[in-house]
Structures are given as structure tokens and as C-alpha cells.
């Protein structure tokens, strides 16, 4: 029977004998230790033991219904499930994870949610992990990755089963924490011979080199670059300019814009580029979003694309094939990248052999803007 709390029970659970209450005899006060005075209902949270009591089974039976229902008879499972449904009980996954050393969640860090190139990879990562019973917790590190270190501190303290990181540029402190945590890590969107743990990506340097060789092959000799100032875009630009330098083409005009890219920044980028000198004949943009802005700005100024200006983007976003003219760009199989990253993590969780470095490559999409 539930008892309404009295002031005494709230401040010390003091028991007053009948003799004292009636004014007879000597006062004798009994107190219980604080740990004994607390009940499991203090927080109002339904516990596994509460479910077991209401279903008239043992706590281990409730645990089996939740984790291994094949070990429990259907009638008992139904009875426990009815109590869970009626009370809204949710198991303490943290406690269960500590016991089994599994939390069944993977932490993913991307620079920004506004950058569309990451969404398909995250979706395929999430879908594949969901199939195997894992959830994804998402965090954004910003441009540059200024918040990654503090994010990793918060994430590692919650002991995820795995971590998905965008890029390979991490602070020395972040690398130290990841190494000490001994949690499976998969980095994506880059290539390096020295990943933190596992890596699924491609060479940004080769992307830039391939675009330069393609444009030179078309007969262009004067080039420009409109690029965001993030680390991977800088590597693509360096690869692009390295090929131009081999052909003694060193007069490239470059405009850098703040990351993340936007259509507006693409338009502004071309306007600024035209202030620097004569119009380049071919332009490499660090993203399709910037390239789209450049294309519209060029057309607004009466320039013909590709006759006056050839344009190449990066990413092959969903609009790239539908601009006018269709945008030449570099395609990355983003769903495959997310799926392979998930497979790498699942392989480590299950103790299977996993390739440490996977190069998914890229494809140059030659369309109307070139």
C-alpha cells in the first residue's frame, strides 16, 4: 500500500514510538541509513525490476524477453510485452552496453549538414548499420574542423561501438584520444597511407590532376579557379595547378571563398575573378554548387558556355546533369562510400578481416559546360 510522505519521512524517516507520541515513556528514535531510506521510485522511472514484478516473472526473464526472446515461452513473452507496452518502459541501454561492452550506436562527424555531398553517404551508412541493429549519432565539426576535438571528447566518453570521421585532418590531441580509446574508426573522403584506423576514400589530388589534363586536352591554355577554402578543396586545387605547371601554365587566376560553398558565392566568385584580369577560357570549381553559381553569373554577363568559358565542378550533385548546359563535373559514388564505411565498421565489430584502406575512385562526367 502506498503511503503519503510526511515531513518526517522527507527529512529523515524518523520513527516515533507510540509511547512517545502519547507522552509516556522515554523518547527512542530509530533511523535507517540513507541508502535504505531511498526507494527505486524516487525518480519516477520504471525499472526492469518493476516490469518483472508486474508481470510476475524474474528480472532475468524480462532481460531475456528484450534480448533473447527465443529463450522464453510465447505466453511469458506476451505477458511481459503487455506490461512494457502498458507502462512505456524503456530499457537502460547504457547499463546494458556496459555489461556487454556494446552500445549499438556509431558516432558520425561531418563538417556541415548544409553540404549536400555528405547526405547520401550518411544515408547509406545509416541504412546499412540499421540493418545490423546499430543507430547513428550525428555531429557537425564546422569549417575548418574547429569543433572536432571537443566533439570527440564528448563522443568517446559515451563509448560508441564505432566512429565515422569525414577527412583525415585531425589535431594531434584528437589522434591521441582516438588511439587511447581503442574504438574502431573509419575515415572517409580522403586517401592517406597512415589512417587513424580504417579508410574509405579517393585522391583529391588526382581529381585536380585529371580535370587539368582533360581541359588541356580540349585545347585550353588560360585557366581560373573558384574554390572554397576547406582542406580537401585546397588539395584538389593543388593537384590541378601542379599539372598546369608541368605545361608551363602558371598564370592561373584564383578566387577563394569561405566554406561551405553556396550558389551565391559562385556568382560572387566569377565576378571577383573577372576583376583580377582577362577572362580565363576554362574554370575549375571546388563544388557543383559554386560551379552552378559561376554558370548563371556567366550567362547573366552575356558569356557563352562553353564557347567563352568552360566550367568543371565537383560532386555530381542531383542538379548537375540538368543545368543549361549540363554541368561537367567529377562524380563520387557517395552511397557506395557510406555503405563501404558501414561494412568496414561492422566487420571490425564482428571480428572479420577488413581492408584497412579502400580507394573508391571517381569518374569525370563530360557534359555541356566543357
Amino acid at each position: 500500500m502506498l503511503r503519503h510522505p510526511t515531513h518526517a519521512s522527507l527529512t529523515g524517516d524518523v520513527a516515533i514510538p507510540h509511547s512517545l507520541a502519547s507522552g509516556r515513556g522515554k523518547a527512542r528514535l530509530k533511523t535507517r541509513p540513507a541508502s535504505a531510506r531511498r526507494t527505486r521510485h524516487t525518480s519516477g522511472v520504471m525499472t526492469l525490476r518493476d516490469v518483472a514484478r508486474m508481470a510476475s516473472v524474474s528480472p532475468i526473464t524480462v532481460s531475456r524477453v528484450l534480448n533473447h526472446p527465443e529463450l522464453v515461452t510465447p505466453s511469458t513473452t506476451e505477458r511481459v510485452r503487455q506490461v512494457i507496452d502498458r507502462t512505456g518502459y524503456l530499457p537502460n541501454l547504457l547499463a546494458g552496453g556496459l555489461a556487454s561492452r556494446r552500445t549499438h550506436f556509431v558516432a558520425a562527424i561531418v563538417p556541415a549538414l548544409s553540404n549536400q555531398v555528405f547526405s547520401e553517404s550518411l544515408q547509406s551508412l545509416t541504412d546499412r548499420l540499421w540493418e545490423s541493429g546499430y543507430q547513428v549519432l550525428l555531429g557537425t565539426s564546422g569549417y575548418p574542423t574547429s569543433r572536432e576535438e571537443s566533439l570527440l571528447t564528448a563522443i568517446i566518453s559515451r563509448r560508441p561501438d564505432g566512429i565515422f570521421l569525414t577527412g583525415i585532418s585531425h589535431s594531434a590531441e584528437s589522434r591521441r584520444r582516438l588511439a587511447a580509446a581503442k574504438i574502431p574508426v573509419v575515415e572517409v573522403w580522403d586517401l592517406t597511407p597512415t589512417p587513424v584506423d580504417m579508410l574509405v576514400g579517393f585522391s583529391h589530388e588526382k581529381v585536380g590532376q585529371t580535370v587539368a589534363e582533360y581541359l588541356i586536352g580540349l585545347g585550353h591554355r588560360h585557366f581560373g579557379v573558384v574554390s572554397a577554402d576547406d582542406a580537401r578543396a585546397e588539395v584538389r586545387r593543388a593537384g590541378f595547378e601542379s599539372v598546369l605547371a608541368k605545361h608551363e601554365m602558371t598564370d592561373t587566376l584564383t578566387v577563394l571563398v569561405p566554406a561551405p560553398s553556396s550558389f551565391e558565392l559562385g556568382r560572387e566568385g566569377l565576378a571577383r575573378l573577372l576583376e583580377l584580369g582577362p577572362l580565363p577560357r576554362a574554370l575549375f570549381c571546388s563544388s557543383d554548387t559554386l560551379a552552378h553559381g559561376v554558370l548563371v553569373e556567366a550567362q547573366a554577363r552575356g558569356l557563352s558556355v562553353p564557347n567563352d568559358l568552360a566550367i568543371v565542378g565537383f560532386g555530381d550533385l542531383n542538379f548537375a546533369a540538368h543545368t543549361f548546359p549540363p554541368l561537367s563535373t567529377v562524380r563520387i559514388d557517395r552511397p557506395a562510400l557510406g555503405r563501404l564505411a558501414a561494412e568496414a565498421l561492422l566487420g571490425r565489430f564482428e571480428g572479420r578481416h577488413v581492408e584497412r584502406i579502400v580507394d573508391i575512385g571517381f569518374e569525370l562526367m563530360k557534359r555541356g559546360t566543357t
Side-chain angles (χ1 to χ4, degrees):
M1 182 174 70
L2 294 177
R3 296 179 179 175
H4 295 290
T6 65
H7 180 71
S9 66
L10 290 174
T11 58
D13 200 12
V14 180
I16 304 178
H18 177 73
S19 59
L20 179 61
S22 61
R24 298 189 305 272
K26 202 173 193 176
R28 291 165 53 211
L29 302 182
K30 291 184 182 179
T31 62
R32 290 188 304 232
S35 59
R37 295 196 300 269
R38 299 188 189 101
T39 72
R40 65 176 177 270
H41 293 293
T42 300
S43 65
V45 176
M46 179 66 62
T47 68
L48 183 141
R49 288 185 178 277
D50 294 330
V51 172
R53 176 177 51 78
M54 295 174 70
S56 300
V57 297
S58 67
I60 191 64
T61 298
V62 176
S63 179
R64 285 173 178 162
V65 168
L66 293 170
N67 299 296
H68 301 286
E70 70 278 4
L71 301 179
V72 186
T73 63
S75 60
T76 300
T77 298
E78 178 63 21
R79 191 163 72 252
V80 171
R81 287 290 181 191
Q82 286 179 356
V83 172
I84 290 173
D85 291 343
R86 188 169 69 250
T87 62
Y89 167 73
L90 289 174
N92 185 337
L93 295 179
L94 178 60
L98 292 173
S100 65
R101 305 189 68 84
R102 280 281 184 268
T103 56
H104 290 279
F105 86 87
V106 169
I109 297 179
V110 297
L113 295 178
S114 59
N115 195 330
Q116 187 182 338
V117 298
F118 302 122
S119 60
E120 289 173 299
S121 297
L122 283 171
Q123 189 63 59
S124 59
L125 172 85
T126 301
D127 291 345
R128 180 62 190 93
L129 290 174
W130 170 268
E131 292 172 2
S132 296
Y134 290 84
Q135 305 284 350
V136 173
L137 177 68
L138 181 62
T140 58
S141 57
Y143 288 100
T145 55
S146 55
R147 295 195 295 267
E148 186 183 76
E149 194 170 297
S150 59
L151 265 175
L152 283 174
T153 299
I155 286 169
I156 291 171
S157 69
R158 287 160 174 79
R159 303 304 301 177
D161 288 338
I163 299 175
F164 171 101
L165 295 177
T166 304
I168 57 175
S169 300
H170 316 294
S171 69
E173 180 62 17
S174 290
R175 286 182 169 271
R176 186 190 68 78
R177 289 174 182 171
L178 288 168
K182 300 188 183 305
I183 295 171
V185 174
V186 59
E187 296 165 286
V188 298
W189 282 97
D190 266 307
L191 274 187
T192 177
T194 57
V196 170
D197 186 6
M198 301 173 288
L199 177 65
V200 179
F202 57 95
S203 171
H204 291 267
E205 182 181 22
K206 287 184 178 178
V207 167
Q209 293 170 346
T210 300
V211 171
E213 290 165 355
Y214 168 59
L215 292 174
I216 291 172
L218 292 176
H220 297 294
R221 295 295 179 267
H222 301 285
F223 300 91
V225 173
V226 175
S227 174
D229 59 0
D230 71 90
R232 284 175 294 280
E234 287 291 294
V235 174
R236 293 194 293 276
R237 180 168 70 92
F240 181 78
E241 294 179 346
S242 70
V243 171
L244 300 184
K246 290 179 182 178
H247 290 80
E248 300 182 350
M249 301 173 186
T250 57
D251 59 345
T252 304
L253 299 179
T254 300
V255 168
L256 297 180
V257 299
S261 301
S262 70
F263 175 83
E264 180 184 4
L265 287 174
R267 295 198 67 168
E268 292 178 3
L270 180 60
R272 288 169 51 191
L273 194 72
L274 294 175
E275 294 172 357
L276 298 177
L279 176 70
R281 292 304 305 276
L283 196 61
F284 180 35
C285 300
S286 66
S287 73
D288 285 353
T289 306
L290 286 177
H292 191 198
V294 166
L295 173 60
V296 170
E297 183 66 20
Q299 293 169 336
R301 289 171 179 263
L303 299 173
S304 173
V305 178
N307 296 328
D308 296 328
L309 178 66
I311 304 171
V312 178
F314 172 80
D316 196 24
L317 300 183
N318 55 13
F319 63 80
H322 306 287
T323 57
F324 181 77
L327 182 63
S328 294
T329 185
V330 176
R331 180 179 184 271
I332 309 300
D333 191 341
R334 296 185 294 276
L337 186 147
R339 184 175 63 255
L340 289 170
E343 293 292 353
L345 289 171
L346 291 170
R348 286 289 298 277
F349 300 161
E350 297 163 7
R352 294 185 275 109
H353 171 73
V354 175
E355 291 291 334
R356 189 162 181 253
I357 299 174
V358 177
D359 183 354
I360 65 169
F362 57 87
E363 182 181 1
L364 182 60
M365 311 301 291
K366 303 173 184 178
R367 299 190 180 119
T369 57
T370 53

